[in-house]
Amino acid sequence: MTEAEAQTQGFSERDVVHAAAGRELRKRYTAADLAVFTCDEARRFVPRGDGDPQNSVVLAWELLYRLEPELYDRLASVERLHPDVVRWLPCDLDRIAEVGAGTGRLTMELVARGQHVVAVEPALPLRRILRRKLAAAEHGDRVRVVRGFFDQLPLPDDFADLVVACSAFTPSSGHGGDAGLAEMERACRPGGCVAIIWPNHLDWLTARGYRYVSFPGPMFVEFGSYREAVELAEIFYPTAVGEVRRGGERRVPFEVLGINPPRDVAFKVLAG
Ligand SMILES: C[S@@+](CC[C@H](N)C(=O)[O-])C[C@H]1O[C@@H](n2cnc3c(N)ncnc32)[C@H](O)[C@@H]1O
């Protein structure tokens, strides 16, 4: 999706901003890179077989996860969640399932809220980083990292007390959609909670019975250094590079970068 497509096709404000921000990201990859996808991935991400990451920021992100996973991890590590988002999630749970776990921005927090966590993640390079982090934190025995997709979760019915996705679910069929939401609800036990953290299409979710909570307060992207702020802004927030340079700080408000902060949750408590 390009910026113009996002603007004309009724995508959310965040999509438009991401499409603008994605200009530099799109330049990093070509159609030849799509060969990195497995068959299951290609079926979801390039269903007609003719995708081009130079024109699609969504595809460029998927290639980033597979071709430059450490770069993606650096970004996710500095875009931290509002602490109240994690505190708001139910705790003392038996089983938690997270879908689209990535390199574990949320997963590492879930360990404190449930006995057993299953982290579902399609991209092998991200699963590797997540496993490495879990082992380093000695959580390897509490979290099972598995391959899977929103629309085909490798989980039994009524499996978890909490089924959650963070910055991963969208209404598009390749990244969730109605089939993906139905799968998350299928894997959640009656009385359990399905939560979409940092939702990008709230109206779509509220039309499906989801409620919403958002936590206030200033939020910053916490780069490791001013140098890293400039380096990552050049790739991920190109429209904000000038302001990042002028600020001269390693902490940059989300607003300056032009993205809404990860401070909100759409959720549904399933009938008991
Ligand atoms: C922006 S990343 C977020 C990762 C992590 N949840 C976090 O907050 O850091 C989006 C994640 O969704 C995953 N993803 C993309 N399509 C998916 C699908 N169809 N089913 C499950 N996960 C998917 C990606 O591989 C990636 O890990």
Side-chain angles (χ1 to χ4, degrees), residues 15-107:
D15 288 325
V16 176
V17 171
H18 273 168
R23 264 176 295 189
E24 293 306 311
L25 193 60
R26 282 188 278 120
K27 285 187 199 156
R28 296 177 87 82
Y29 311 114
T30 69
D33 291 321
L34 300 177
V36 75
F37 289 144
T38 65
C39 293
D40 281 343
E41 289 166 353
R43 192 151 44 80
R44 287 168 174 91
F45 304 142
V46 267
R48 289 185 304 277
D50 60 350
D52 183 352
Q54 304 253 314
N55 295 321
S56 164
V57 71
V58 177
L59 272 182
W61 279 99
E62 292 302 332
L63 292 173
L64 171 71
Y65 305 146
R66 289 160 180 85
L67 298 175
E68 300 183 278
E70 302 286 350
L71 176 61
Y72 168 69
D73 184 45
R74 286 176 63 201
L75 177 72
S77 303
V78 297
E79 285 182 345
R80 293 183 201 149
L81 302 176
H82 192 302
D84 285 346
V85 164
V86 176
R87 281 188 212 117
W88 176 90
L89 292 172
C91 57
D92 297 327
L93 302 177
D94 182 16
R95 289 193 289 232
I96 300 175
E98 184 190 0
V99 189
T103 57
R105 169 171 33 196
L106 176 67
T107 325

Side-chain angles (χ1 to χ4, degrees), residues 163-165 169 181 184 194-199 205 210 264-267:
V163 181
V164 60
F169 184 92
L181 202 60
M184 291 181 78
V194 176
I196 308 291
I197 294 176
W198 208 5
L205 288 163
Y210 279 67
D264 51 354
V265 188
F267 67 98

Side-chain angles (χ1 to χ4, degrees), residues 84-257:
D84 285 346
V85 164
V86 176
R87 281 188 212 117
W88 176 90
L89 292 172
C91 57
D92 297 327
L93 302 177
D94 182 16
R95 289 193 289 232
I96 300 175
E98 184 190 0
V99 189
T103 57
R105 169 171 33 196
L106 176 67
T107 325
M108 304 304 287
E109 310 280 354
L110 294 175
V111 178
R113 309 195 82 77
Q115 284 302 312
H116 308 280
V117 178
V118 178
V120 179
E121 169 53 48
L124 175 61
L126 302 189
R127 293 202 299 276
R128 286 196 179 123
I129 293 176
L130 177 52
R131 287 199 183 104
R132 187 181 74 206
K133 286 186 185 176
L134 289 164
E138 300 190 351
H139 292 324
D141 53 338
R142 302 264 308 284
V143 182
R144 197 155 55 89
V145 181
V146 299
R147 177 181 164 279
F149 297 89
F150 279 110
D151 60 352
Q152 205 171 6
L153 292 178
L155 302 170
D157 293 356
D158 304 343
F159 172 75
D161 306 291
L162 169 67
V163 181
V164 60
C166 175
S167 185
F169 184 92
T170 81
S172 82
S173 55
H175 295 85
D178 278 305
L181 202 60
E183 270 293 86
M184 291 181 78
E185 294 182 12
R186 177 191 64 75
C188 187
R189 71 162 171 79
C193 180
V194 176
I196 308 291
I197 294 176
W198 208 5
N200 68 348
H201 293 78
L202 192 55
D203 292 350
W204 190 93
L205 288 163
T206 52
R208 284 155 181 80
Y210 279 67
R211 291 154 64 199
Y212 181 67
V213 60
S214 177
F215 301 96
M219 287 189 71
F220 298 83
V221 177
E222 308 263 357
F223 297 99
S225 62
Y226 165 67
R227 204 170 141 197
E228 182 179 54
V230 173
E231 183 197 345
L232 293 185
E234 281 172 345
I235 302 169
F236 295 106
Y237 320 104
T239 54
V241 175
E243 207 159 340
V244 171
R245 283 189 199 280
R246 276 191 295 281
E249 301 278 343
R250 73 165 192 89
R251 290 170 91 233
V252 182
F254 271 88
E255 289 73 14
V256 167
L257 300 172

